[in-house]
Amino acid sequence: MGEKGEAFVTLTTNDAYVLGSLVLAESLRRVGTKRRLVVMITNEISETLKHNLHTVFDDVHVVDLLSSEDFKNLQLLGRPDLHVTFTKLHCWNLTQYSKCVFLDADTLVIQNVDDMFEREEFSAAPDSGWPDCFNSGVFVFKPNVDTYKSLLQFAATQGTFDGGDQGLLNRYFNTWPTNDIKTHLPFTYNVVSRPFYSYPSGLKAFKQNIKIVHFIGADKPWQHPYNYSSGVVTPLPDSRHDAEFLQYWWNIFIDSVQPTLNPSAEGLIGRLAALSVDNPVDSSIMPLEEIQNLDVKLKKNCEEGR
């Protein structure tokens, strides 16, 4: 099941993101990775989906929620849900592995990226919004409990400039922009799926080189309408996700993940599990109230120390 010393790691804090992590794991296997696949989860994950994760991942680790509680800065991003991304810091506690690559659950691996393990901590790709910062959706790190404790202390004293883990990690690993170009992953290792400004021409020119796609933004692939009969996903009207990348995600989901879901599940999971020849159209995204309820529940658990 891969080399014990090295692993790809992801995180999911709710059932919706389990869908992303399952597709991510399948995408890694399809490109022939030799490393172990690890997922960190919180107790918010339903028992049925925990079973799915144990089936697909080599190791499943239950971790406590960590919240930035910095809702003021998160409002600037329009993403209050990102307060739970501090939970990502638990990856430095995975000391049974010598080196890891962290991948957000809304990423998709297009080509083999095992060469990332040749990089050192802290290696990451430039953020498309502010290239002198790295994007924390993909990075190489070395698990170390001392680093974890240091990050928590840094968070308590210095905080985060964006309310989430990216602002914190950029402040902590603050020599990344200037210290060593070897820690700069090519942008093809973390390509944003939402083109803007000069982005479309670059996307066209270098698309064959893309290794990892990142579905940043509030709407995720699993929220877009899909027709089971035609096998086609329809991008949401206000979404700028590349249609080809969305289709790639859905092809993997329908082929390898959707058949394993429990049709009796509630909400989004049940609706997606019910897709079939007789019930071919999923015409609605995850309702806004479902997303808000998930966030309220996570925030409450953080406040209660759960």
Side-chain angles (χ1 to χ4, degrees):
M1 298 292 286
E3 297 181 16
K4 181 64 175 177
E6 299 178 338
F8 286 102
V9 179
T10 191
L11 165 71
T12 180
T13 56
N14 62 52
D15 283 359
Y17 272 82
V18 170
L19 301 175
S21 65
L22 291 171
V23 171
L24 170 61
E26 179 61 23
S27 74
L28 281 162
R29 296 203 189 282
R30 290 190 180 196
V31 298
T33 183
K34 302 299 183 183
R35 269 61 179 191
R36 296 182 71 81
L37 304 185
V38 179
V39 61
M40 300 186 298
I41 66 172
T42 66
N43 285 319
E44 298 303 317
I45 308 304
S46 64
E47 290 301 318
T48 299
L49 288 178
K50 284 180 183 178
H51 173 76
N52 286 73
L53 291 168
H54 278 282
T55 300
V56 172
F57 284 86
D58 298 309
D59 299 300
V60 178
H61 297 273
V62 180
V63 297
D64 295 327
L65 278 170
L66 295 177
S67 173
S68 69
E69 299 183 355
D70 190 350
F71 295 97
K72 182 177 180 180
N73 276 321
L74 287 169
Q75 287 299 328
L76 295 175
L77 299 176
R79 296 292 306 280
D81 54 303
L82 293 181
H83 74 96
V84 297
T85 60
F86 269 29
T87 309
K88 186 184 297 187
L89 302 182
H90 283 296
C91 68
W92 272 275
N93 283 324
L94 301 175
T95 54
Q96 58 269 59
Y97 311 106
S98 58
K99 187 184 291 186
C100 298
V101 172
F102 186 90
L103 299 171
D104 275 350
D106 59 354
T107 61
L108 180 69
V109 178
I110 306 295
Q111 299 185 50
N112 188 285
V113 289
D114 283 5
D115 61 300
M116 291 178 69
F117 291 93
E118 298 172 10
R119 304 271 181 159
E120 295 301 319
E121 182 181 77
F122 184 90
S123 293
D127 185 73
S128 60
W130 196 265
D132 277 345
C133 290
F134 54 80
N135 182 279
S136 62
V138 177
F139 59 83
V140 181
F141 70 100
K142 289 185 176 181
N144 186 307
V145 174
D146 289 337
T147 304
Y148 171 73
K149 292 178 180 178
S150 178
L151 278 164
L152 289 186
Q153 178 62 28
F154 190 88
T157 57
Q158 302 297 318
T160 169
F161 64 76
D162 64 356
D165 68 284
Q166 185 160 304
L168 171 67
L169 292 175
N170 270 279
R171 278 185 169 171
Y172 187 84
F173 295 103
N174 59 14
T175 62
W176 177 88
T178 57
N179 191 41
D180 186 357
I181 192 63
K182 292 180 181 179
T183 63
H184 287 221
L185 294 174
F187 188 64
T188 51
Y189 285 75
N190 191 354
V191 172
V192 173
S193 63
R194 304 167 74 104
F196 57 92
Y197 189 47
S198 62
Y199 201 101
S201 56
L203 191 61
K204 180 180 179 181
F206 303 109
K207 206 164 195 175
Q208 73 277 6
N209 299 328
I210 293 174
K211 294 180 179 292
I212 300 174
V213 175
H214 192 178
F215 295 98
I216 67 166
D219 59 291
K220 302 303 179 185
W222 52 87
Q223 295 174 263
H224 292 252
Y226 179 84
N227 188 304
Y228 192 92
S229 295
S230 66
V232 175
V233 60
T234 302
L236 293 167
D238 295 329
S239 171
R240 299 194 65 195
H241 287 310
D242 182 88
E244 184 177 340
F245 293 147
L246 282 174
Q247 191 64 52
Y248 196 112
W249 189 96
W250 271 92
N251 288 346
I252 293 178
F253 175 76
I254 291 296
D255 183 54
S256 299
V257 177
Q258 192 265 349
T260 70
L261 299 179
N262 184 354
S264 64
E266 297 180 355
L268 174 69
I269 306 303
R271 292 198 301 274
L272 294 177
L275 283 172
S276 66
V277 174
D278 296 326
N279 183 33
V281 180
D282 170 42
S283 59
S284 62
I285 67 167
M286 186 184 215
L288 180 60
E289 59 268 23
E290 284 189 35
I291 299 174
Q292 292 173 334
N293 287 341
L294 279 172
D295 188 51
V296 169
K297 189 176 182 181
L298 289 171
K299 181 180 177 182
K300 180 180 178 182
N301 285 344
C302 284
E303 292 172 347
E304 294 176 350
R306 290 169 55 188

